[in-house]
Amino acid sequence: MTTALRFSSLACLCFASASAFATGVAVQVNDSSGKPLADAVVVVDPEAGAAMPKHLKPAEIEQRGLKFLPLVSVIQTGSRVAFPNNDKVRHHIYSFSPAKKFDQKLYSGVAASPQVFDKAGTVVLGCNIHDRMIAYVKVVDSPYFVKTDASGLARIELPAAGKYTVSVWHYNMVGQAAEQGALVKAGDSAALSFKLAMKPPVLEAETGSPGY
Ligand SMILES: [Cu+2]
């Protein structure tokens, strides 16, 4: 009996420490039918006037198998992104998006110079040679962001309790990013859920062999 009790209280302690989450948000993103959405970009903005530290990390979007990988990136304003070509064919990547226009002429290997994304917005990348290649780069001012995992979940730790705005964007959603306010308490994780209406999928054709 004593052993069982001790075991169960230990188990409780373990569970408590595993489930304890630092100050932040836990966001579940589903489509309107309730199916979890991976690759949604979740961004948490503090109230106006709060500090927005820069946590710039170099990012990479490779080309492999005539695709951009990853399909979706989220980076903080001012980050550099490298575009290594790991295909045997050459690529010619470009963006016409106002947040970052560039054109990287035909290249192979790592010859493409990294690009600095210095304006917030959504950038869509394409390749002049391979029409079906596409990638999305979400450039955000906030340092607090992550993509949802395969179960549609995103967890973001925050430096302090307070009022935040949580926005969620998916490349295939109808309309603009969805937003909700969150009141975050110290040592606690504010749970939010989003349901996004999706356009009919356009990327299914991408999974087939595109041919060279
Ligand atoms: Cu290409």
Side-chain angles (χ1 to χ4, degrees):
M1 186 62 185
T2 321
T3 316
L5 271 175
R6 197 179 297 138
F7 176 78
S8 78
S9 62
L10 272 176
C12 284
L13 277 175
C14 290
F15 178 73
S17 64
S19 66
F21 183 65
T23 309
V25 294
V27 181
Q28 175 67 47
V29 184
N30 295 335
D31 70 12
S32 37
S33 74
K35 193 171 138 242
L37 277 174
D39 272 342
V41 171
V42 179
V43 183
V44 182
D45 278 296
E47 280 194 296
M52 293 265 251
K54 285 277 184 196
H55 293 151
L56 298 185
K57 280 184 246 152
E60 200 174 271
I61 300 174
E62 68 164 331
Q63 296 104 68
R64 183 188 292 271
L66 302 189
K67 281 182 184 179
F68 288 111
L69 296 172
L71 170 65
V72 179
S73 300
V74 52
I75 57 173
Q76 195 179 12
T77 320
S79 300
R80 289 161 75 86
V81 181
F83 297 95
N85 178 0
N86 293 316
D87 278 329
K88 291 200 168 77
V89 296
R90 292 193 291 172
H91 293 293
H92 178 165
I93 61 176
Y94 66 87
S95 155
F96 294 132
S97 305
K100 176 70 184 173
K101 286 186 183 151
F102 73 99
D103 181 51
Q104 191 75 58
K105 296 268 185 294
L106 275 176
Y107 68 97
S108 53
V110 291
S113 36
Q115 299 282 334
V116 176
F117 289 69
D118 51 11
K119 235 187 270 178
T122 304
V123 179
V124 183
L125 303 180
C127 173
N128 261 338
I129 316 298
H130 308 103
D131 283 347
R132 292 204 288 191
M133 287 177 66
I134 191 165
Y136 303 89
V137 184
K138 197 76 179 160
V139 188
V140 298
D141 289 329
S142 170
Y144 316 118
F145 54 78
V146 73
K147 289 191 294 181
T148 52
D149 62 16
S151 54
L153 187 65
R155 287 181 182 278
I156 299 176
E157 286 191 25
L158 295 166
K163 279 187 192 164
Y164 291 86
T165 302
V166 179
S167 70
V168 176
W169 174 86
H170 188 277
Y171 62 86
N172 204 34
M173 75 186 288
V174 174
Q176 306 295 308
E179 279 188 7
Q180 283 183 40
L183 187 59
V184 177
K185 294 180 192 150
D188 197 15
S189 162
L192 288 93
S193 69
F194 285 77
K195 274 195 170 184
L196 306 183
M198 292 286 111
K199 297 175 197 161
V202 287
L203 287 171
E204 278 177 352
E206 300 275 311
T207 55
S209 169
Y212 282 70

